[in-house]
Structures are given as structure tokens and as C-alpha cells.
Amino acid sequence: MRHLRLDVVTIFPEYLEPLRHALLGKAIEQGILSVGVHDLRGWATDVHKSVDDTPYGGGPGMVMKPEVWGPALDDVAAGTAPGQELTTSLPHVDKPRHDDLAGVDGGAAESGEDPDLPLLLVPTPAGTPFTQADAQEWAKEEHIVFACGRYEGIDQRVVADAANRYRVREVSIGDYVLIGGEVAVLVIAEAIVRLIPGVLGNRRSHEEDSFSDGLLEGPSYTKPRSWRGLDVPEVLFSGNHAKVDRWRRDQALLRTQAVRPELLDTAVLDAADRKVLGRE
Ligand code: SAM
């Protein structure tokens, strides 16, 4: 059985609490996932436990200090970092797992990178946009470490130095600015973990998700057949699977064209698809 180890370094450990609920909590209980949360202030060296300082060159805000982040990421990579192990919020819980961090496996390595190094994800609005394709790739990892920035972010040398011990990716979850990286970690971790085999009951449910085939997913309906004067589309009662599949494909194409037309530039379209889109 595959197992993913997540380590999160943050100044707000309590922000990561949602990772132990619902399907992620179940994954922890099943031994598919384990999560360690590490308080960055544990590596602060002064009496005030400060983790930030004024920016060189002036300007507003504070920047997170390299002397605090460097040793924290060293210890997490070595598996020696003190921290809290998240236990599942579900009933009938097993004891917290303490997983062996050694023997980390590949994943897509950028040229010149050692594929045996753990993956370090650094959330930042200045990073590469996080996509479903990344989630699919990173669901194959064995050890992912997240570095949560706050204030104006982390001294850039931390990212450069971490490349000695990690495969490092700076990632953005969208074109807006959050207060800190913790919420971005929740987003990225959830998107990754649900793709690990065994986490979702029905494998098809993520294979048919939006983005999996390059398109947005069309609408879904359940009982009752008629609700507040609104009827479920007739074709869904036809019992004709080919017809239902075609209808779903058409809905996905039309929604994608209306909401995210740029996705159609890279989606694989056949003649029937092009006809629905009026692109013959
Ligand atoms: N000065 C930074 C900039 O303009 O690029 C913004 C720093 S932001 C206020 C503080 C932290 O929030 C960042 O270090 C990062 O961890 C997180 N963050 C904010 N927006 C994000 C986004 N869109 N994606 C990922 N992380 C984000």
C-alpha cells in the first residue's frame, strides 16, 4: 500500500488541524497518510522567538529569517524535527504513526535533481500556478514538506539553499494574495491526497473530475426528478449509456467554452466535439 508523509512547517500549527478530518482523517487512520506539523518558532534563537526581520532595501512589512528557516528545513529533511503528529479526528483511532522518512522515491525530477530527495513545496503568489496535473504527479510522492510563509514571505536564500536537500517548487494557488501559506497548504494537500489510491471509495469519481480530461465537468443531478418546478434532463433517464456519456461530454464542452475557453486550446477534441462547439 502506498503511503504519503506530509510535514508542514508553520508559525500557526493549529491552522493545519483540518488535515485530520473527513477523508484525510480516514487516510491517516488507514495508514495511507501521516502528517507532522512543526512550529517554526521552535528554531528561533532569541528570547522573543522572532522569525522575521526588516527587509534589506527598505519597504513595508517583514521578511522571514533564513537562520530560522534553514535549520528547520534541515531537521525536517533529516527526520529529526520536533513536532506534532496529527491523529485522525475519526472514532476508533489507532495510535499516531511515526513513519520512517528514509527511502524516499522519485516523482518527476527537474533536470539535474536527485529524484531521491523529498519534495519541498513553498507556497507563494509569485510561484508557478498549481494545477490538477501537479496534484496527479505529486500524489506519487512519498514525502512532501511544506514551508508556510507569512508577512512578506521567506528570505529567498532559504529556497536556494533548500535545493541541497530537497527538490524545491515554489507554487501559487491563484492570482490573489493570502495572509499566509497555511491555507494554500490545505488546498494543495487535499488535492494531492484525494488522488492516492484507496483514499476515495470510487476511483472513477476523480477520473471524471473537472480538468482530468482537460475540460470542466458538466452539471450533476440527484433525486427528486422534479424539484421546485425544475426537472432533471430527460436523457439521464434513458438507460442508454452511450447517449448519457455523449450528453455529459457535450455539457462539459459547452461549460468549458463558456467559462474557461482557453482550456479548449489544449483539450483533445474529435469531430463530434468540434460540432457541438460549432468549430467544424
Ligand atoms: N510579498 C509577497 C508577494 O507579493 O509575492 C506576498 C506574501 S503573502 C502576504 C504571505 C504568504 O502567504 C506567502 O509567503 C505565501 O506563503 C502565502 N500566499 C499568499 N498568497 C498565496 C498564493 N496565491 N498562493 C500560495 N501562497 C500564497
Side-chain angles (χ1 to χ4, degrees):
M1 183 177 65
R2 196 178 292 169
H3 176 260
L4 173 63
R5 170 71 186 179
L6 298 181
D7 283 292
V8 187
V9 185
T10 169
I11 58 169
F12 290 112
E14 59 275 25
Y15 251 87
L16 284 309
E17 156 81 9
L19 291 178
R20 54 190 286 271
H21 294 281
L23 280 180
L24 273 66
K26 194 169 158 218
I28 293 173
E29 190 186 36
Q30 292 170 321
I32 296 173
L33 176 70
S34 65
V35 185
V37 182
H38 311 276
D39 187 347
L40 181 70
R41 290 194 197 279
W43 285 271
T45 50
D46 63 348
V47 282
H48 305 295
K49 298 275 173 207
S50 60
V51 294
D52 58 321
D53 209 335
T54 52
Y56 275 130
M62 302 291 270
V63 176
M64 297 187 103
K65 290 155 72 82
E67 304 104 306
V68 182
W69 269 108
L73 293 178
D74 291 347
D75 289 349
V76 172
T80 57
Q84 180 204 349
E85 193 74 15
L86 289 193
T87 57
T88 178
S89 68
L90 301 175
H92 50 270
V93 189
D94 286 324
K95 285 216 165 66
R97 295 174 56 94
H98 294 281
D99 291 273
D100 176 17
L101 300 183
V104 177
D105 188 28
E110 290 189 350
S111 58
E113 283 182 323
D114 179 351
D116 288 338
L117 295 177
L119 183 67
L120 175 67
L121 298 183
V122 184
T124 162
T128 311
F130 173 63
T131 64
Q132 186 68 9
D134 294 322
Q136 268 152 2
E137 198 54 48
W138 296 340
K140 298 175 202 152
E141 295 284 336
E142 292 186 7
H143 187 197
I144 302 177
V145 177
F146 291 96
C148 297
R150 285 260 152 185
Y151 319 114
E152 291 310 312
I154 304 171
D155 185 305
Q156 192 64 39
R157 291 168 294 177
V158 172
V159 173
D161 174 70
N164 294 314
R165 292 173 300 300
Y166 294 94
R167 288 170 292 133
V168 185
R169 305 284 183 274
E170 293 180 281
V171 280
S172 167
I173 63 160
D175 291 343
Y176 38 78
V177 180
L178 304 166
I179 301 172
E182 290 75 10
V183 171
V185 170
L186 296 179
V187 169
I188 296 168
E190 187 164 310
I192 292 172
V193 172
R194 70 188 285 281
L195 297 178
I196 301 173
V199 172
L200 291 187
N202 182 352
R203 200 183 159 79
R204 272 189 68 200
S205 58
H206 71 68
E207 286 171 356
E208 292 179 2
D209 281 333
S210 290
F211 307 113
S212 300
D213 58 1
L215 302 177
L216 304 182
E217 195 177 83
S220 304
Y221 301 92
T222 185
K223 299 177 196 69
R225 189 166 176 156
S226 185
W227 179 76
R228 296 191 176 176
L230 300 169
D231 292 337
V232 173
E234 205 54 42
V235 61
L236 297 176
F237 306 103
S238 67
N240 181 334
H241 294 302
K243 222 168 145 186
V244 170
D245 286 349
R246 184 65 247 174
W247 180 84
R248 288 195 169 132
R249 175 85 182 167
D250 293 351
Q251 295 299 310
L253 289 162
L254 293 170
R255 182 180 273 190
T256 305
Q257 179 163 258
V259 180
R260 298 286 304 279
E262 78 282 6
L263 295 178
L264 294 174
D265 297 342
T266 46
V268 180
L269 305 177
D270 63 15
D273 295 337
R274 282 193 293 276
K275 190 170 172 203
V276 172
L277 294 168
R279 292 185 170 196
E280 283 170 300

